[in-house]
Amino acid sequence: MAAEADGPLKRVLVPLLLPEKCYDQIFVQWDLLHVPCLKILLSKGLGLGIVAGSVLVKLPQVFKILRAKSAEGLSLQSVMLELVALTGTMVYSITNNFPFSSWGEALFLTLQTVTICFLVLHYRGQTAKGVTFLVCYALVLLVLLSPLTPLSVVTLLQASNVPAVVGGRLLQAATNYRNGHTGQLSAVTVFLLFGGSLARIFTSVQETGDPLMAGTFVVSSLCNGLIASQLIYYWNVKAPIQKKKQ
């Protein structure tokens, strides 16, 4: 009877959240304080939670731009550099066969960031350039994921994440400072990105053991924290309404 009762639960947890040996350790031997297995469970749970949350994390930013019909306050260069960093993480993780729970949010964040890039160009009156950007990005991504791209190039792309993240966030911070407000920057998106990058430090160490991945998320957390602090500082400052030319 116990084996039958364990059946459905085991199918849900193994291997999605736990390896079989940890399932036996916790749910068969009832060793509820087995630290290594608890770390795996926490890491997998956090990772899958981050991936699930990433499906929606940048939608508030997209909707805010669409609602305002403006990308005022967003630095295109910053968004582009963020896209480079996300693409590097996604391609590097796929190439190294890392568990989806350790990098899956990069896929969904990439799709949303590409959308934001297009919207910024569109609302600047550069729709044709935005369409060209979408086509070029898709082609570059196909090449990076193909066997034509050496592993050394993919590793170099991941290594470039740190300067890309730092450069992108500093550009956005400089734009906020210069404007004296955060414009159409979404507070929900910024705080979710900050929390997600903090959690990713732990899951990267636990699931991949890759210092390059973990280091990227440490830097990302610091930079996201800077933008989050600016949002709090400029919380009650509204962007000036731009008058349309007659």
Side-chain angles (χ1 to χ4, degrees):
M1 291 294 292
E4 290 179 7
D6 282 347
L9 180 62
K10 189 171 185 178
R11 283 194 293 271
V12 170
L13 296 181
V14 180
L16 186 63
L17 290 175
L18 286 170
E20 188 167 359
K21 63 179 181 179
C22 279
Y23 175 87
D24 292 340
Q25 190 78 36
I26 295 174
F27 294 99
V28 176
Q29 300 180 33
W30 292 105
D31 184 1
L32 302 179
L33 298 178
H34 192 270
V35 175
C37 287
L38 289 177
K39 282 185 177 180
I40 293 173
L41 181 61
L42 176 60
S43 177
K44 288 285 188 181
L46 271 176
L48 291 173
I50 293 169
V51 173
S54 70
V55 176
L56 303 173
V57 75
K58 286 200 172 189
L59 289 185
Q61 181 67 80
V62 172
F63 291 146
K64 191 169 185 179
I65 294 173
L66 291 172
R67 189 166 52 249
K69 294 183 179 179
S70 167
E72 173 71 20
L74 271 75
S75 166
L76 179 60
Q77 293 87 348
S78 173
V79 179
M80 289 284 194
L81 285 171
E82 184 179 1
L83 181 60
V84 169
L86 287 168
T87 303
T89 296
M90 180 174 64
V91 173
Y92 182 73
S93 300
I94 292 173
T95 303
N96 285 281
N97 295 313
F98 289 152
F100 186 70
S101 60
S102 71
W103 64 270
E105 80 279 4
L107 170 62
F108 299 110
L109 290 176
T110 295
L111 293 173
Q112 293 165 68
T113 304
V114 166
T115 302
I116 292 170
C117 285
F118 172 77
L119 289 175
V120 171
L121 289 168
H122 172 65
Y123 286 116
R124 288 183 179 181
Q126 300 174 327
T127 304
K129 188 180 288 188
V131 173
T132 302
F133 158 74
L134 293 177
V135 173
C136 291
Y137 178 76
L139 292 174
V140 169
L141 187 58
L142 285 174
V143 171
L144 288 173
L145 290 172
S146 74
L148 297 173
T149 305
L151 179 59
S152 58
V153 173
V154 174
T155 303
L156 181 62
L157 180 62
Q158 174 65 13
S160 72
N161 274 8
V162 172
V165 168
V166 172
R169 286 305 183 215
L170 288 181
L171 280 169
Q172 184 61 61
T175 299
N176 295 339
Y177 177 77
R178 186 168 56 250
N179 291 340
H181 59 78
T182 54
Q184 300 306 320
L185 204 60
S186 167
V188 175
T189 293
V190 169
F191 289 124
L192 285 175
L193 287 173
F194 178 48
S197 58
L198 282 175
R200 268 295 174 222
I201 299 172
F202 171 72
T203 62
S204 296
V205 172
Q206 183 66 35
E207 294 198 53
T208 71
D210 191 305
L212 195 54
M213 286 278 284
T216 299
F217 286 116
V218 169
V219 173
S220 180
S221 296
L222 293 172
C223 294
N224 285 330
L226 172 62
I227 304 299
S229 66
Q230 283 188 314
L231 269 165
I232 295 171
Y233 183 76
Y234 293 121
W235 191 263
N236 293 317
V237 180
K238 302 297 181 183
I241 299 174
Q242 292 184 339
K243 295 181 179 179
K244 293 184 178 180
K245 294 180 180 180
Q246 298 295 327

